[in-house]
Each structure stands twice: as C-alpha cells, then as structure tokens.
C-alpha cells in the first residue's frame, strides 16, 4: 500500500506539502468558475450573468453532498491507512465509490424534478431571468454523477497522502472548461446553455482522469468491474462520518439561499454584483478550506497511529499558515478591486455595489482563516458534528441580521456583505471554545479497529 504518511517528521512541513496542491487545485476550480462568469457576463449580458449566479446556492447544495460524504469516506480510509490495515482501506474505498456514484445519479433526478418550484418560490428568482436560470441549472445537473465520482476519487487519494494528484485532474477540468466556454458561449453564442455544457464536460474529464490515475498508481485501488463490492456496514461508517460534514455544507447552502433571496429583492444589478462578489470571496476562502481538508487527513492518520499531541501541534501551525495566506489574498483584493470588477462586464450600479462588497469581505474573511482549519481536526477525530453546529450558528446569525437590517438606516443593502462580521465572529468564538475544551478528543478512535488512541 503505497502512499504518503503524515505521522512522522515536522507537522508543518507535511501540512504545507499536502495543503499546497489542494490549494492550487481549488484555485484552478475557482478560475474556471470565474471564467464562466467573465465569459457569460461579457458575451451574454447581465441577465445571463444573474441567472448563472443565482443558481450558486442550490448547486452548492449538491456539491455539499458530494464533498461531505466523500470526505467522510476519506476520513475512514485515512484512519485505516494510518493503522496499516490495507484490507479495510480497499473495502472502504470500493463501497465509497459505489455509494457516491449512486448518490450522483439520484441527485440528477431530484435536481431536474425540483428545479422550477425551488427557483420560483424558494430562491424567488425574478421573471426576467427565471427561464435562463432553469436552463443553466437543468443542464448542470446532468453532470452531477461526474462531480460525485470525482470527489470520491479525490478524497480516497488524499486519504493516503496524495493531494498533488488532484491538482492535475483539476488542471484538466480547468483547461477544458475555459476552452469550451470560449467556443460555446463566445463563439457559438449558446449563452447559459453553453456555460452549463462546458462545466459538465469538464467535470467528466476530471472524473475519467482521476479514476485512471488512481487505478494505475495504487494497486490497492485497482478494481475490475466484478471486484467492486458493496458492504452496508462500511457504507454506514461513511454516512455516519460524512453526514455531519455534508450537513455543515448543506446548512451553508441553505443560508446562502436565503441571503440570495434577499439579494434578489434589490434588483438585477445587485444580483449580478453579488454573483461577482461571491466568486471573488471564494478566492479569499481558499487557504482556510485547503487547511481544513489537510487537517482532516492529517488528524485521521495521526489518530490512527495514536499520536494525539502531534494532532494539536499541527492544528496550531495550520491556523497560522491559513491566516498568513488569507492576509496576502485580502490585501491584493483590496488594492485591485477596481481592476477585478472591470473584467465582468457589470453595469455602473452593479460596479458600485461590487466595490463595496469586495473591500468589506477583504477585511471580514480574515476571521474565517482563524477557525475554519480546525473543522478538519474535528472531522478527522470523528467529531464532524461540531463544524455543523458552528455552521448552523454562523449562518443563522448571517441570515438573521440580513433580514433585520436590509432596509434599515444603519446598514441598508450593505448588510448583504456586512453580515459576515456577525456570523464569522460567532463561528470563531464557538470553534475555539470547543477546541480548547478538548471535548473533540473523546471517542476519536471509534473506526480504527480495536486500537484505542
């Protein structure tokens, strides 16, 4: 069983070496999402840009399921890998792949079925671009099986310490998506349909590349069709560990859905501006999310090896690195906000909104960098419920203050971006209180055979 163990040597070196490819891969993913937005905004107009942007919270819901349950399987695999149990590593990977592909197919069916009532009544998309929104979303959902499949392959590879490989898969997806965006949207003038097709094809490319790489490099993951086996007990382990992770992301999705609804109340210019603001905000969140992913594997392996003190040392080092990288990105966004906004073809009013949005989140999102990485520690220790509670509280506060102050004199429409100050502050306090209490260390060895750590 050949992979990269993080149970020996300087923690920060392992964490940084693992996190950088994850960060670079996420950057590529955001780049091709940004190219979607730039191409659509410049070649299909602000109504098409608003349509693509307003689907974000619901498409994130499906991504939450894919990432959450894949990450759950990755934690279980990482724990068995750290304990040196090759048989369980292979068995959990097989069951996890079948589980996620099945969920991907089901997600497509559900997405197609609920699209109109969700965007008409829940998100309250204006009639001006409702049909464009539905066109984009329905085509996007067809490719969900590839999204779920890619995420399980990536999580399994990260579980054995191979985070660099996912960078190559995302590079393939990014190049495909950018080229197809130019051809379908700018060239063929297919608008939102072209953007959705480009995304589906790009996801299929990364799915195929990930499977070929995993099967060729790691004999333990080399399955013939008849060798894929389903084990309900192992599937339950993935669901138990993955559910809190997925639920955390699902709560974020629903919170963003209600915020998106409030955004839509201020008209198309605000919706277009918010679309761009969210795209840029994702870049500022890349470091803390990368270190969260890294610490889930790092904690899982070290807990499996019985090295709890090493987990704590790595956690503090990861938070510090997350803060430094986030500061660098935030400074760049503050300085070059005007140049960034000019890329998206926004109207004058939308640019005014977006400038205020970017400069505000450049300050506020620094708070995220100080606590999101610790979610990975909780997840790696089988305490994924803690991030769920934090996410619920933080999003609840954000939604509450948005609806309380959106028409008031103190904030007005600017609460759309200032809500993070209240929500992230709450998240910071709860996360660090729980971490310092050491409650997350209890029952951390539940899935590592008979070995107690």
């Amino acid at each position: 069983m050949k992979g990269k163990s993080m149970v020996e040597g300087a923690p920060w070196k392992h964490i940084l070496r693992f996190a950088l490819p994850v960060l670079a891969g996420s950057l590529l993913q955001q780049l091709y999402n940004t190219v979607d937005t730039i191409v659509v905004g410049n070649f299909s107009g602000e109504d098409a840009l608003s349509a693509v942007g307003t689907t974000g919270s619901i498409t994130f819901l499906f991504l939450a399921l894919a990432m959450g349950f894949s990450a759950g399987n990755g934690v279980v695999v990482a724990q068995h890998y750290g304990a040196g149990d090759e048989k369980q590593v292979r068995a959990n990977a097989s069951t996890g792949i079948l589980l996620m592909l099945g969920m991907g197919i089901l997600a497509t069916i559900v997405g197609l079925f609920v699209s109109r009532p969700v965007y008409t009544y829940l998100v309250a998309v204006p009639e001006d671009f409702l049909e464009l929104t539905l066109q984009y979303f329905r085509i996007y959902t067809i490719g969900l099986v590839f999204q779920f499949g890619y995420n399980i392959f990536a999580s399994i590879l990260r579980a054995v310490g191979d985070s660099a490989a996912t960078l190559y898969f995302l590079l393939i997806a990014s190049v495909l998506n950018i080229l197809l965006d130019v051809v379908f949207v700018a060239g063929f003038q297919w608008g939102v349909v072209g953007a959705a097709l480009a995304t589906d094809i790009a996801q299929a490319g990364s799915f195929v590349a990930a499977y070929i790489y995993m099967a060729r490099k790691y004999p333990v993951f080399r399955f013939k069709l008849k060798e894929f086996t389903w084990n309900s007990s192992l599937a339950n382990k993935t669901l138990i560990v993955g559910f809190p992770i997925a639920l955390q992301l699902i709560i974020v999705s629903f919170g963003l859905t209600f915020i998106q609804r409030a955004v839509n109340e201020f008209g198309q210019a605000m919706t277009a501006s918010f679309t761009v603001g969210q795209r840029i905000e994702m870049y500022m969140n890349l470091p803390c999310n990368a270190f969260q992913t890294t610490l889930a594997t790092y904690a899982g392996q070290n807990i499996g090896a019985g090295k709890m003190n090493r987990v704590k040392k790595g956690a503090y080092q990861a938070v510090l690195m997350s803060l430094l990288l986030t500061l660098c990105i935030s400074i760049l966004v503050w300085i070059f906000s005007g140049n960034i906004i000019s890329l998206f073809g926004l109207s004058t009013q939308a640019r005014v909104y977006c400038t205020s949005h970017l400069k505000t989140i450049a300050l506020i999102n620094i708070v995220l960098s100080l606590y999101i990485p610790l979610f990975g520690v909780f997840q790696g220790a089988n305490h994924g419920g803690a991030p769920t509670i934090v996410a619920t509280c933080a999003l609840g506060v954000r939604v509450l203050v948005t609806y309380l102050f959106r028409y008031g004199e103190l904030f007005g429409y600017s609460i759309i971006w200032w809500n993070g100050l209240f929500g992230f502050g709450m998240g910071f306090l709860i996360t660090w209180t729980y971490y310092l209490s050491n409650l997350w260390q209890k029952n951390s060895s539940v899935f590592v055979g008979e070995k107690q750590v």
Side-chain angles (χ1 to χ4, degrees), residues 316-355:
Y316 285 113
Q317 292 175 355
V319 169
L320 178 59
M321 289 186 284
S322 171
L323 172 62
L324 293 175
L325 286 174
T326 302
L327 276 171
C328 292
I329 297 172
S330 294
I331 290 169
L332 290 174
V333 169
W334 180 278
I335 294 173
F336 296 107
S337 59
N339 304 82
I340 294 169
I341 293 168
S342 66
L343 296 172
F344 294 88
L346 294 177
S347 65
T348 301
Q349 184 57 58
R351 290 179 185 178
V352 172
Y353 291 145
C354 201
T355 299

mmCIF file of all heavy atoms in Angstrom, residues 316-355:
data_model
loop_
_atom_site.group_PDB
_atom_site.id
_atom_site.type_symbol
_atom_site.label_atom_id
_atom_site.label_comp_id
_atom_site.label_asym_id
_atom_site.label_seq_id
_atom_site.Cartn_x
_atom_site.Cartn_y
_atom_site.Cartn_z
ATOM 1 N N TYR A 316 -2.299 24.093 15.382
ATOM 2 C CA TYR A 316 -1.879 25.479 15.591
ATOM 3 C C TYR A 316 -1.038 25.990 14.419
ATOM 4 O O TYR A 316 -1.189 27.140 13.975
ATOM 5 C CB TYR A 316 -1.085 25.591 16.902
ATOM 6 C CG TYR A 316 -1.935 25.533 18.137
ATOM 7 C CD1 TYR A 316 -1.846 24.456 19.012
ATOM 8 C CD2 TYR A 316 -2.834 26.553 18.439
ATOM 9 C CE1 TYR A 316 -2.634 24.397 20.157
ATOM 10 C CE2 TYR A 316 -3.617 26.500 19.578
ATOM 11 C CZ TYR A 316 -3.522 25.417 20.435
ATOM 12 O OH TYR A 316 -4.307 25.368 21.559
ATOM 13 N N GLN A 317 -0.175 25.154 13.911
ATOM 14 C CA GLN A 317 0.666 25.556 12.785
ATOM 15 C C GLN A 317 -0.176 25.799 11.535
ATOM 16 O O GLN A 317 0.078 26.738 10.773
ATOM 17 C CB GLN A 317 1.730 24.485 12.535
ATOM 18 C CG GLN A 317 2.758 24.378 13.653
ATOM 19 C CD GLN A 317 3.730 23.232 13.460
ATOM 20 O OE1 GLN A 317 3.599 22.430 12.535
ATOM 21 N NE2 GLN A 317 4.730 23.145 14.332
ATOM 22 N N ALA A 318 -1.193 24.974 11.320
ATOM 23 C CA ALA A 318 -2.060 25.131 10.151
ATOM 24 C C ALA A 318 -2.865 26.428 10.219
ATOM 25 O O ALA A 318 -3.037 27.125 9.216
ATOM 26 C CB ALA A 318 -2.999 23.934 10.025
ATOM 27 N N VAL A 319 -3.371 26.771 11.401
ATOM 28 C CA VAL A 319 -4.138 28.017 11.560
ATOM 29 C C VAL A 319 -3.263 29.228 11.257
ATOM 30 O O VAL A 319 -3.704 30.176 10.590
ATOM 31 C CB VAL A 319 -4.730 28.108 12.986
ATOM 32 C CG1 VAL A 319 -5.289 29.504 13.246
ATOM 33 C CG2 VAL A 319 -5.823 27.066 13.175
ATOM 34 N N LEU A 320 -2.035 29.203 11.720
ATOM 35 C CA LEU A 320 -1.126 30.321 11.455
ATOM 36 C C LEU A 320 -0.853 30.460 9.960
ATOM 37 O O LEU A 320 -0.893 31.581 9.417
ATOM 38 C CB LEU A 320 0.192 30.118 12.216
ATOM 39 C CG LEU A 320 1.267 31.194 12.004
ATOM 40 C CD1 LEU A 320 0.747 32.567 12.415
ATOM 41 C CD2 LEU A 320 2.529 30.850 12.784
ATOM 42 N N MET A 321 -0.599 29.358 9.276
ATOM 43 C CA MET A 321 -0.360 29.413 7.827
ATOM 44 C C MET A 321 -1.612 29.873 7.080
ATOM 45 O O MET A 321 -1.527 30.628 6.102
ATOM 46 C CB MET A 321 0.100 28.043 7.325
ATOM 47 C CG MET A 321 1.501 27.676 7.780
ATOM 48 S SD MET A 321 2.133 26.129 7.061
ATOM 49 C CE MET A 321 1.238 24.907 8.027
ATOM 50 N N SER A 322 -2.771 29.446 7.545
ATOM 51 C CA SER A 322 -4.036 29.873 6.937
ATOM 52 C C SER A 322 -4.207 31.387 7.045
ATOM 53 O O SER A 322 -4.595 32.065 6.079
ATOM 54 C CB SER A 322 -5.200 29.159 7.634
ATOM 55 O OG SER A 322 -6.444 29.679 7.241
ATOM 56 N N LEU A 323 -3.899 31.939 8.221
ATOM 57 C CA LEU A 323 -4.009 33.382 8.443
ATOM 58 C C LEU A 323 -3.081 34.161 7.516
ATOM 59 O O LEU A 323 -3.501 35.146 6.883
ATOM 60 C CB LEU A 323 -3.691 33.707 9.897
ATOM 61 C CG LEU A 323 -3.564 35.191 10.257
ATOM 62 C CD1 LEU A 323 -4.870 35.921 10.013
ATOM 63 C CD2 LEU A 323 -3.109 35.357 11.708
ATOM 64 N N LEU A 324 -1.842 33.752 7.415
ATOM 65 C CA LEU A 324 -0.861 34.476 6.603
ATOM 66 C C LEU A 324 -1.244 34.484 5.127
ATOM 67 O O LEU A 324 -1.165 35.527 4.460
ATOM 68 C CB LEU A 324 0.524 33.866 6.798
ATOM 69 C CG LEU A 324 1.139 34.027 8.205
ATOM 70 C CD1 LEU A 324 2.457 33.272 8.315
ATOM 71 C CD2 LEU A 324 1.333 35.500 8.545
ATOM 72 N N LEU A 325 -1.664 33.347 4.609
ATOM 73 C CA LEU A 325 -2.046 33.280 3.198
ATOM 74 C C LEU A 325 -3.308 34.096 2.921
ATOM 75 O O LEU A 325 -3.414 34.777 1.894
ATOM 76 C CB LEU A 325 -2.258 31.827 2.778
ATOM 77 C CG LEU A 325 -0.985 30.993 2.603
ATOM 78 C CD1 LEU A 325 -1.332 29.535 2.333
ATOM 79 C CD2 LEU A 325 -0.146 31.541 1.451
ATOM 80 N N THR A 326 -4.273 34.031 3.834
ATOM 81 C CA THR A 326 -5.515 34.798 3.658
ATOM 82 C C THR A 326 -5.238 36.298 3.675
ATOM 83 O O THR A 326 -5.835 37.061 2.897
ATOM 84 C CB THR A 326 -6.530 34.441 4.757
ATOM 85 O OG1 THR A 326 -6.792 33.038 4.711
ATOM 86 C CG2 THR A 326 -7.836 35.203 4.561
ATOM 87 N N LEU A 327 -4.344 36.751 4.557
ATOM 88 C CA LEU A 327 -3.965 38.165 4.596
ATOM 89 C C LEU A 327 -3.399 38.629 3.264
ATOM 90 O O LEU A 327 -3.744 39.713 2.763
ATOM 91 C CB LEU A 327 -2.941 38.397 5.707
ATOM 92 C CG LEU A 327 -3.483 38.603 7.123
ATOM 93 C CD1 LEU A 327 -2.338 38.596 8.124
ATOM 94 C CD2 LEU A 327 -4.277 39.901 7.218
ATOM 95 N N CYS A 328 -2.552 37.823 2.670
ATOM 96 C CA CYS A 328 -1.942 38.185 1.380
ATOM 97 C C CYS A 328 -3.007 38.348 0.302
ATOM 98 O O CYS A 328 -3.000 39.326 -0.457
ATOM 99 C CB CYS A 328 -0.922 37.119 0.960
ATOM 100 S SG CYS A 328 0.547 37.043 2.004
ATOM 101 N N ILE A 329 -3.946 37.404 0.234
ATOM 102 C CA ILE A 329 -5.005 37.467 -0.780
ATOM 103 C C ILE A 329 -5.915 38.660 -0.523
ATOM 104 O O ILE A 329 -6.308 39.374 -1.466
ATOM 105 C CB ILE A 329 -5.816 36.165 -0.789
ATOM 106 C CG1 ILE A 329 -4.919 34.982 -1.194
ATOM 107 C CG2 ILE A 329 -6.994 36.272 -1.758
ATOM 108 C CD1 ILE A 329 -5.589 33.635 -1.055
ATOM 109 N N SER A 330 -6.257 38.908 0.729
ATOM 110 C CA SER A 330 -7.157 40.018 1.063
ATOM 111 C C SER A 330 -6.545 41.367 0.682
ATOM 112 O O SER A 330 -7.245 42.265 0.186
ATOM 113 C CB SER A 330 -7.483 40.001 2.558
ATOM 114 O OG SER A 330 -8.236 38.857 2.897
ATOM 115 N N ILE A 331 -5.257 41.511 0.904
ATOM 116 C CA ILE A 331 -4.575 42.761 0.533
ATOM 117 C C ILE A 331 -4.630 42.976 -0.969
ATOM 118 O O ILE A 331 -4.895 44.089 -1.456
ATOM 119 C CB ILE A 331 -3.112 42.735 1.033
ATOM 120 C CG1 ILE A 331 -3.078 42.831 2.563
ATOM 121 C CG2 ILE A 331 -2.305 43.881 0.421
ATOM 122 C CD1 ILE A 331 -1.716 42.559 3.168
ATOM 123 N N LEU A 332 -4.409 41.911 -1.730
ATOM 124 C CA LEU A 332 -4.469 42.013 -3.191
ATOM 125 C C LEU A 332 -5.868 42.389 -3.666
ATOM 126 O O LEU A 332 -6.031 43.215 -4.573
ATOM 127 C CB LEU A 332 -4.033 40.688 -3.820
ATOM 128 C CG LEU A 332 -2.544 40.335 -3.680
ATOM 129 C CD1 LEU A 332 -2.280 38.937 -4.222
ATOM 130 C CD2 LEU A 332 -1.681 41.357 -4.415
ATOM 131 N N VAL A 333 -6.886 41.782 -3.065
ATOM 132 C CA VAL A 333 -8.271 42.092 -3.451
ATOM 133 C C VAL A 333 -8.604 43.542 -3.135
ATOM 134 O O VAL A 333 -9.253 44.241 -3.931
ATOM 135 C CB VAL A 333 -9.252 41.133 -2.740
ATOM 136 C CG1 VAL A 333 -10.700 41.610 -2.921
ATOM 137 C CG2 VAL A 333 -9.103 39.726 -3.274
ATOM 138 N N TRP A 334 -8.175 44.034 -1.981
ATOM 139 C CA TRP A 334 -8.445 45.426 -1.603
ATOM 140 C C TRP A 334 -7.801 46.390 -2.598
ATOM 141 O O TRP A 334 -8.436 47.341 -3.054
ATOM 142 C CB TRP A 334 -7.920 45.682 -0.196
ATOM 143 C CG TRP A 334 -8.159 47.092 0.279
ATOM 144 C CD1 TRP A 334 -7.397 48.194 -0.017
ATOM 145 C CD2 TRP A 334 -9.246 47.570 1.069
ATOM 146 N NE1 TRP A 334 -7.923 49.319 0.567
ATOM 147 C CE2 TRP A 334 -9.067 48.966 1.242
ATOM 148 C CE3 TRP A 334 -10.330 46.950 1.676
ATOM 149 C CZ2 TRP A 334 -9.944 49.738 1.978
ATOM 150 C CZ3 TRP A 334 -11.209 47.732 2.419
ATOM 151 C CH2 TRP A 334 -11.020 49.105 2.567
ATOM 152 N N ILE A 335 -6.550 46.137 -2.952
ATOM 153 C CA ILE A 335 -5.804 47.052 -3.825
ATOM 154 C C ILE A 335 -6.342 47.026 -5.248
ATOM 155 O O ILE A 335 -6.494 48.073 -5.894
ATOM 156 C CB ILE A 335 -4.300 46.694 -3.817
ATOM 157 C CG1 ILE A 335 -3.702 46.956 -2.426
ATOM 158 C CG2 ILE A 335 -3.548 47.506 -4.872
ATOM 159 C CD1 ILE A 335 -2.277 46.464 -2.280
ATOM 160 N N PHE A 336 -6.668 45.826 -5.737
ATOM 161 C CA PHE A 336 -7.020 45.688 -7.159
ATOM 162 C C PHE A 336 -8.512 45.427 -7.385
ATOM 163 O O PHE A 336 -8.889 44.902 -8.432
ATOM 164 C CB PHE A 336 -6.205 44.546 -7.776
ATOM 165 C CG PHE A 336 -4.723 44.788 -7.781
ATOM 166 C CD1 PHE A 336 -3.891 44.101 -6.901
ATOM 167 C CD2 PHE A 336 -4.161 45.729 -8.639
ATOM 168 C CE1 PHE A 336 -2.519 44.326 -6.892
ATOM 169 C CE2 PHE A 336 -2.796 45.958 -8.642
ATOM 170 C CZ PHE A 336 -1.971 45.263 -7.768
ATOM 171 N N SER A 337 -9.349 45.809 -6.434
ATOM 172 C CA SER A 337 -10.785 45.544 -6.567
ATOM 173 C C SER A 337 -11.374 46.144 -7.837
ATOM 174 O O SER A 337 -12.179 45.502 -8.525
ATOM 175 C CB SER A 337 -11.536 46.069 -5.335
ATOM 176 O OG SER A 337 -11.329 47.465 -5.166
ATOM 177 N N GLY A 338 -10.973 47.383 -8.170
ATOM 178 C CA GLY A 338 -11.499 48.020 -9.375
ATOM 179 C C GLY A 338 -11.107 47.275 -10.633
ATOM 180 O O GLY A 338 -11.938 47.075 -11.540
ATOM 181 N N ASN A 339 -9.862 46.833 -10.719
ATOM 182 C CA ASN A 339 -9.403 46.081 -11.881
ATOM 183 C C ASN A 339 -10.127 44.746 -11.997
ATOM 184 O O ASN A 339 -10.465 44.301 -13.101
ATOM 185 C CB ASN A 339 -7.893 45.826 -11.774
ATOM 186 C CG ASN A 339 -7.099 47.108 -11.621
ATOM 187 O OD1 ASN A 339 -6.983 47.628 -10.520
ATOM 188 N ND2 ASN A 339 -6.564 47.651 -12.711
ATOM 189 N N ILE A 340 -10.359 44.107 -10.865
ATOM 190 C CA ILE A 340 -11.049 42.819 -10.863
ATOM 191 C C ILE A 340 -12.476 42.977 -11.381
ATOM 192 O O ILE A 340 -12.935 42.216 -12.243
ATOM 193 C CB ILE A 340 -11.062 42.232 -9.438
ATOM 194 C CG1 ILE A 340 -9.638 41.878 -8.998
ATOM 195 C CG2 ILE A 340 -11.958 41.007 -9.368
ATOM 196 C CD1 ILE A 340 -9.516 41.544 -7.524
ATOM 197 N N ILE A 341 -13.181 43.969 -10.875
ATOM 198 C CA ILE A 341 -14.579 44.180 -11.247
ATOM 199 C C ILE A 341 -14.729 44.478 -12.731
ATOM 200 O O ILE A 341 -15.689 44.058 -13.371
ATOM 201 C CB ILE A 341 -15.181 45.318 -10.396
ATOM 202 C CG1 ILE A 341 -15.267 44.877 -8.929
ATOM 203 C CG2 ILE A 341 -16.556 45.734 -10.906
ATOM 204 C CD1 ILE A 341 -15.559 45.999 -7.962
ATOM 205 N N SER A 342 -13.763 45.196 -13.294
ATOM 206 C CA SER A 342 -13.849 45.590 -14.704
ATOM 207 C C SER A 342 -13.843 44.399 -15.664
ATOM 208 O O SER A 342 -14.224 44.534 -16.823
ATOM 209 C CB SER A 342 -12.689 46.534 -15.061
ATOM 210 O OG SER A 342 -11.446 45.853 -14.981
ATOM 211 N N LEU A 343 -13.453 43.230 -15.184
ATOM 212 C CA LEU A 343 -13.376 42.045 -16.054
ATOM 213 C C LEU A 343 -14.743 41.458 -16.372
ATOM 214 O O LEU A 343 -14.885 40.712 -17.346
ATOM 215 C CB LEU A 343 -12.525 40.955 -15.380
ATOM 216 C CG LEU A 343 -11.053 41.262 -15.121
ATOM 217 C CD1 LEU A 343 -10.433 40.136 -14.281
ATOM 218 C CD2 LEU A 343 -10.304 41.424 -16.435
ATOM 219 N N PHE A 344 -15.767 41.791 -15.580
ATOM 220 C CA PHE A 344 -17.009 41.027 -15.631
ATOM 221 C C PHE A 344 -18.143 41.675 -16.428
ATOM 222 O O PHE A 344 -19.239 41.119 -16.501
ATOM 223 C CB PHE A 344 -17.492 40.745 -14.204
ATOM 224 C CG PHE A 344 -16.581 39.831 -13.443
ATOM 225 C CD1 PHE A 344 -15.516 40.341 -12.714
ATOM 226 C CD2 PHE A 344 -16.778 38.467 -13.469
ATOM 227 C CE1 PHE A 344 -14.667 39.497 -12.015
ATOM 228 C CE2 PHE A 344 -15.930 37.615 -12.769
ATOM 229 C CZ PHE A 344 -14.864 38.132 -12.042
ATOM 230 N N GLY A 345 -17.929 42.831 -16.994
ATOM 231 C CA GLY A 345 -18.964 43.457 -17.805
ATOM 232 C C GLY A 345 -20.172 43.917 -17.015
ATOM 233 O O GLY A 345 -21.302 43.864 -17.520
ATOM 234 N N LEU A 346 -19.971 44.392 -15.797
ATOM 235 C CA LEU A 346 -21.079 44.846 -14.956
ATOM 236 C C LEU A 346 -21.531 46.244 -15.348
ATOM 237 O O LEU A 346 -20.757 47.050 -15.874
ATOM 238 C CB LEU A 346 -20.660 44.855 -13.483
ATOM 239 C CG LEU A 346 -20.347 43.513 -12.818
ATOM 240 C CD1 LEU A 346 -19.873 43.740 -11.388
ATOM 241 C CD2 LEU A 346 -21.562 42.591 -12.830
ATOM 242 N N SER A 347 -22.790 46.547 -15.043
ATOM 243 C CA SER A 347 -23.309 47.893 -15.238
ATOM 244 C C SER A 347 -22.707 48.828 -14.193
ATOM 245 O O SER A 347 -22.083 48.388 -13.225
ATOM 246 C CB SER A 347 -24.838 47.888 -15.105
ATOM 247 O OG SER A 347 -25.214 47.538 -13.782
ATOM 248 N N THR A 348 -22.930 50.135 -14.359
ATOM 249 C CA THR A 348 -22.363 51.122 -13.439
ATOM 250 C C THR A 348 -22.843 50.907 -12.002
ATOM 251 O O THR A 348 -22.051 50.930 -11.058
ATOM 252 C CB THR A 348 -22.731 52.545 -13.894
ATOM 253 O OG1 THR A 348 -22.225 52.752 -15.211
ATOM 254 C CG2 THR A 348 -22.128 53.583 -12.960
ATOM 255 N N GLN A 349 -24.147 50.689 -11.838
ATOM 256 C CA GLN A 349 -24.688 50.497 -10.495
ATOM 257 C C GLN A 349 -24.145 49.213 -9.869
ATOM 258 O O GLN A 349 -23.817 49.175 -8.674
ATOM 259 C CB GLN A 349 -26.217 50.438 -10.541
ATOM 260 C CG GLN A 349 -26.879 50.341 -9.168
ATOM 261 C CD GLN A 349 -26.506 51.485 -8.245
ATOM 262 O OE1 GLN A 349 -26.729 52.655 -8.563
ATOM 263 N NE2 GLN A 349 -25.919 51.184 -7.100
ATOM 264 N N ALA A 350 -24.059 48.151 -10.663
ATOM 265 C CA ALA A 350 -23.531 46.882 -10.158
ATOM 266 C C ALA A 350 -22.078 47.038 -9.714
ATOM 267 O O ALA A 350 -21.645 46.430 -8.730
ATOM 268 C CB ALA A 350 -23.651 45.792 -11.216
ATOM 269 N N ARG A 351 -21.316 47.857 -10.427
ATOM 270 C CA ARG A 351 -19.918 48.093 -10.040
ATOM 271 C C ARG A 351 -19.823 48.803 -8.695
ATOM 272 O O ARG A 351 -18.927 48.518 -7.896
ATOM 273 C CB ARG A 351 -19.220 48.932 -11.113
ATOM 274 C CG ARG A 351 -18.980 48.201 -12.418
ATOM 275 C CD ARG A 351 -18.310 49.116 -13.419
ATOM 276 N NE ARG A 351 -18.180 48.470 -14.710
ATOM 277 C CZ ARG A 351 -17.667 49.049 -15.796
ATOM 278 N NH1 ARG A 351 -17.240 50.309 -15.719
ATOM 279 N NH2 ARG A 351 -17.580 48.389 -16.931
ATOM 280 N N VAL A 352 -20.740 49.723 -8.444
ATOM 281 C CA VAL A 352 -20.751 50.431 -7.158
ATOM 282 C C VAL A 352 -20.991 49.438 -6.017
ATOM 283 O O VAL A 352 -20.282 49.436 -5.003
ATOM 284 C CB VAL A 352 -21.843 51.522 -7.150
ATOM 285 C CG1 VAL A 352 -21.985 52.120 -5.750
ATOM 286 C CG2 VAL A 352 -21.505 52.612 -8.163
ATOM 287 N N TYR A 353 -22.013 48.592 -6.201
ATOM 288 C CA TYR A 353 -22.292 47.566 -5.197
ATOM 289 C C TYR A 353 -21.073 46.671 -4.990
ATOM 290 O O TYR A 353 -20.674 46.372 -3.862
ATOM 291 C CB TYR A 353 -23.465 46.685 -5.646
ATOM 292 C CG TYR A 353 -24.819 47.356 -5.673
ATOM 293 C CD1 TYR A 353 -25.763 47.017 -6.644
ATOM 294 C CD2 TYR A 353 -25.184 48.284 -4.707
ATOM 295 C CE1 TYR A 353 -27.019 47.593 -6.674
ATOM 296 C CE2 TYR A 353 -26.436 48.875 -4.724
ATOM 297 C CZ TYR A 353 -27.350 48.528 -5.718
ATOM 298 O OH TYR A 353 -28.594 49.108 -5.731
ATOM 299 N N CYS A 354 -20.497 46.218 -6.082
ATOM 300 C CA CYS A 354 -19.436 45.209 -6.011
ATOM 301 C C CYS A 354 -18.159 45.747 -5.366
ATOM 302 O O CYS A 354 -17.460 45.020 -4.648
ATOM 303 C CB CYS A 354 -19.131 44.683 -7.421
ATOM 304 S SG CYS A 354 -18.334 43.076 -7.412
ATOM 305 N N THR A 355 -17.858 47.005 -5.603
ATOM 306 C CA THR A 355 -16.664 47.611 -4.987
ATOM 307 C C THR A 355 -16.772 47.592 -3.468
ATOM 308 O O THR A 355 -15.827 47.207 -2.761
ATOM 309 C CB THR A 355 -16.480 49.061 -5.479
ATOM 310 O OG1 THR A 355 -16.310 49.057 -6.897
ATOM 311 C CG2 THR A 355 -15.265 49.688 -4.819
#
